[in-house]
Amino acid sequence: MTSIVFAAAAQGDVSPGVLGFLVVAAIGFALFLLVKSMRKQISKIDLPAERDTRKPGGNA
């Protein structure tokens, strides 16, 4: 069994195949969902306007 694996590796016939593609696709899809959820959560944050954060009469 191991001689078959080493022979295939020596010939360069080893590739990630369908399983490797599915793993990368799943990670990409999970990243898409994470970014989508993060954008939704960030849009809920209420930041004060710039004019509200300034102190009256102060330049700094």
Side-chain angles (χ1 to χ4, degrees), residues 10-44:
Q11 293 175 358
D13 294 339
V14 179
S15 67
V18 176
L19 181 62
F21 172 75
L22 291 176
V23 168
V24 171
I27 291 172
F29 185 67
L31 180 64
F32 169 75
L33 292 177
L34 178 66
V35 169
K36 184 178 174 184
S37 174
M38 225 167 57
R39 287 181 57 121
K40 182 179 174 184
Q41 295 298 324
I42 289 174
S43 69
K44 289 182 182 180

Side-chain angles (χ1 to χ4, degrees), residues 36-60:
K36 184 178 174 184
S37 174
M38 225 167 57
R39 287 181 57 121
K40 182 179 174 184
Q41 295 298 324
I42 289 174
S43 69
K44 289 182 182 180
I45 297 174
D46 185 28
L47 295 176
E50 187 176 334
R51 64 178 184 267
D52 295 339
T53 57
R54 292 188 201 157
K55 294 182 181 178
N59 290 338

